Amino acid sequence: MATKTQRIAAFDIGTVTCRLLLAEVRNGALVELERRCAITNLGVGVDKTGILQEDAIGRVVAKIGEYVDIVNSYKTDEHPAIPMVAVATSASRDARNSAELVEKLRELGVELSVIEGSREAALSFRGAARGYEGENLLVADIGGGSTEVVMGVGGKEPARSHSFNIGCRRVTERFYVSDPPSEEECTAARAWAREQFAPYFEGARNSGIAIDRIVAVAGTATSVVSMHKKMKVYDSSEVDGSAVSLETLQGLYDRLRALPLAERKQVVGLQPERASVIVAGLGILLEVLAAAGCKSFTVSESDILQGLILDAYEQGI
């Protein structure tokens, strides 16, 4: 394992968001230098068509181009080269033309890996478990196209994981027609998620896997805290490590599902671009808590990006 200080950049291209984390690593300790997130909606229509839309690919390529410029601005005499690692998840896994995105990013000097759900789950667990070493954790990563659920002891390899094709974009496009979504649509969406979650959680219980804490990562979970605290300006330091009760989550879900999209876009603490998929995301998170039998969860700002950087550092990239 490398022992020198190294700057590494990681890109996470999801169904809804496109994110950058630039960090400096020394002997396993990670210091963040730059963090960026933009909603690019790569996965629009993928559940129905199996194709990444050209304009969606264009949005991602443009944003990654901006991120590459940011990374290059951190080059110094001490750090003349900054390795970049990039992964794409659910939408790119599902799309038949994801090679187009891979090729366009290669032209920017970014080598994109379309990773399987199991790899996504392991990286997310590694990132989210930082600070919770020794605890029996369930890490829930609710994305736009998929939800990764990972169980294990913090600081160790995951004991059990699964990637479900249940995500806030996928659920929205598959179930929600009305504005606001009807009671019947919400009920059907949650029942669909519940049915798929049930065998996994039953198997975990039968295996004797304990859960001390649910750690939720990604935009749905962080938005819960931002909305609950009515953040006009997002502050990650106020979000990371926040505990959220089931009652708070249920209250936000009931409130937002009753609002038409135009009003959801005005909710303080919610990115307007996320308003169209937030009801589905909150519903999925409620079903995770119900399946796990937990009454609260902890939000983490540490996720697959931190996992990617630590993994790259150890491999001596």
Side-chain angles (χ1 to χ4, degrees):
M1 176 177 154
T3 57
K4 65 178 181 179
T5 299
Q6 188 170 17
R7 290 181 176 177
I8 300 172
F11 306 128
D12 172 34
I13 302 172
T15 302
V16 175
T17 60
C18 183
R19 301 187 300 144
L20 158 71
L21 178 63
L22 174 62
E24 194 165 279
V25 190
R26 184 183 182 91
N27 295 333
L30 188 152
V31 178
E32 295 185 10
L33 301 176
E34 193 81 42
R35 180 199 290 258
R36 297 292 177 93
C37 178
I39 292 179
T40 46
N41 282 321
L42 178 65
V44 169
V46 169
D47 186 57
K48 182 177 181 180
T49 66
I51 294 290
L52 297 175
Q53 298 177 5
E54 288 301 319
D55 58 342
I57 292 175
R59 287 193 298 270
V60 169
V61 172
K63 186 55 62 176
I64 292 295
E66 293 176 19
Y67 290 168
V68 169
D69 288 342
I70 292 171
V71 171
N72 288 336
S73 73
Y74 277 84
K75 290 181 178 178
T76 64
D77 291 341
E78 186 180 357
H79 301 282
I82 300 178
M84 297 181 291
V85 289
V87 297
T89 53
S90 180
S92 298
R93 286 196 294 266
D94 293 349
R96 297 190 298 274
N97 63 333
S98 58
E100 292 182 24
L101 176 61
V102 172
E103 183 57 36
K104 287 181 181 297
L105 292 184
R106 184 173 290 138
E107 293 172 3
L108 296 177
V110 176
E111 198 62 41
L112 177 67
S113 298
V114 180
I115 59 173
E116 293 301 318
S118 57
R119 174 69 171 156
E120 182 180 359
L123 288 167
S124 292
F125 185 83
R126 174 155 197 193
R130 293 172 66 233
Y132 304 110
E133 289 77 11
E135 293 189 38
N136 295 307
L137 303 175
L138 183 157
V139 172
D141 182 351
I142 298 171
S146 65
T147 291
E148 280 65 48
V149 177
V150 199
M151 296 180 183
V153 177
K156 298 183 179 180
E157 290 297 310
R160 190 182 185 95
S161 69
H162 192 79
S163 180
F164 297 89
N165 283 327
I166 303 169
C168 57
R169 168 64 62 188
R170 193 186 300 272
V171 167
T172 298
E173 293 185 359
R174 189 171 290 195
F175 289 95
Y176 294 161
V177 178
S178 309
D179 183 26
S182 68
E183 182 75 29
E184 293 76 16
E185 290 165 5
C186 291
T187 298
R190 290 186 58 179
W192 180 67
R194 188 180 311 131
E195 182 179 355
Q196 294 186 65
F197 286 150
Y200 173 84
F201 282 91
E202 182 179 354
R205 282 191 291 271
N206 292 340
S207 299
I209 294 178
I211 301 171
D212 298 331
R213 182 195 300 268
I214 291 181
V215 179
V217 300
T220 293
T222 58
S223 294
V224 169
V225 178
S226 183
M227 288 186 291
H228 180 59
K229 294 187 176 183
K230 295 182 172 59
M231 291 184 181
K232 293 182 180 180
V233 178
Y234 188 84
D235 184 349
S236 61
S237 67
E238 286 290 314
V239 173
D240 190 46
S242 292
V244 179
S245 68
L246 174 60
E247 290 76 16
T248 295
L249 177 61
Q250 183 69 55
L252 280 170
Y253 174 76
D254 291 339
R255 174 190 167 202
L256 268 66
R257 72 188 179 107
L259 297 176
L261 178 58
E263 293 184 30
R264 286 202 301 277
K265 288 182 176 180
Q266 303 302 316
V267 172
V268 176
L270 178 65
Q271 292 172 287
E273 302 92 339
R274 192 177 289 279
S276 63
V277 297
I278 190 62
V279 175
L282 298 178
I284 295 167
L285 187 49
L286 280 166
E287 290 303 324
V288 170
L289 264 65
C294 293
K295 300 296 184 183
S296 67
F297 64 95
T298 302
V299 179
S300 175
E301 283 275 15
S302 184
D303 54 25
I304 190 172
L305 287 169
Q306 285 80 0
L308 272 170
I309 287 176
L310 292 171
D311 185 67
Y313 179 77
E314 290 178 358
Q315 291 183 28
I317 188 172

